[in-house]
Amino acid sequence: AQSVTQLDSQVPVFEEAPVELRCNYSSSVSVYLFWYVQYPNQGLQLLLKYLSGSTLVKGINGFEAEFNKSQTSFHLRKPSVHISDTAEYFCAVSRLTDKLIFGTGTRLQVFP
Amino acid sequence: GAGVSQSPSNKVTEKGKDVELRCDPISGHTALYWYRQSLGQGLEFLIYFQGNSAPDKSGLPSDRFSAERTGGSVSTLTIQRTQQEDSAVYLCASSPGQGRTEAFFGQGTRLTVV
């Protein structure tokens, strides 16, 4: 079965600094990878996804992620964060005929 | 409707009582998920319905938890003899298909067991 590990439960960062949120997955077969975001008191929404093709995926709000098969990673990055990026970020994995499994989440706190 | 709808939005119940949580998925979506979100626990998978296939119940934490999906649409998650550790936000999501397709989430039901 597939699984997801988010190594950092909290990431504090100052506004306009770069940020990387780490995600590693385990699966014996090809996977699809997703990042979802949950803003305070809101539901989850999709940030970006990797299905196939280019390993660098761009999403909403200036975020991007890179699929690295050899390291089984799908880290999320943004070159310059804003206060409004403060939220919980979830990495998720699925396989062709299987359910969507989430990591434990990373709380990004952006300080002025 | 335009999105996934869950009801009630909040539920307070006494320990030992049964509760039912409802999810109305997006029309036409064949996949439906239930997750539980607790502080520090992320999104815990509970159960997955995909079309007419047998549901994947591998995430249900105990036999007090059950779910059904009627007519391939509305789903109900039932928790019997609720315990305080059942307190959490229960999220429902639906998807047009399996695997590579995006899941759309409802706002969740916040369950508090007192």
Side-chain angles (χ1 to χ4, degrees), chain A residues 7-24:
Chain A
L7 299 169
D8 305 300
S9 59
Q10 294 187 67
V11 173
V13 64
F14 286 108
E15 194 173 22
E16 298 183 4
V19 71
E20 178 180 84
L21 307 184
R22 297 181 291 172
C23 171
N24 287 85

Side-chain angles (χ1 to χ4, degrees), chain A residues 36-44 87-90 102-107, chain B residues 6 21 34-46 65 77 85-92 105-111:
Chain A
Y36 284 79
V37 60
Q38 186 177 35
Y39 296 105
N41 301 313
Q42 294 187 29
L44 275 86
E88 189 93 22
Y89 292 80
F90 294 94
F102 285 83
T104 52
T106 296
R107 178 162 183 76
Chain B
Q6 291 188 246
L21 311 180
W34 283 99
Y35 296 91
R36 180 167 68 177
Q37 185 174 23
S38 308
L39 193 62
Q41 299 298 315
L43 270 73
E44 178 187 4
F45 167 76
L46 297 178
F65 288 73
L77 177 68
E85 60 263 28
D86 299 334
S87 296
V89 176
Y90 290 82
L91 293 170
C92 176
F105 281 81
Q107 293 295 309
T109 294
R110 181 175 297 278
L111 175 66

Side-chain angles (χ1 to χ4, degrees), chain A residues 1 28-29 35 52 54 56 61-62 67-68 79 82 89 94 96-97 112:
Chain A
S28 58
V29 297
W35 276 98
S52 65
S54 174
L56 183 63
N61 300 336
F67 170 61
N68 188 318
H82 301 286
Y89 292 80
S94 70
L96 181 60
T97 58

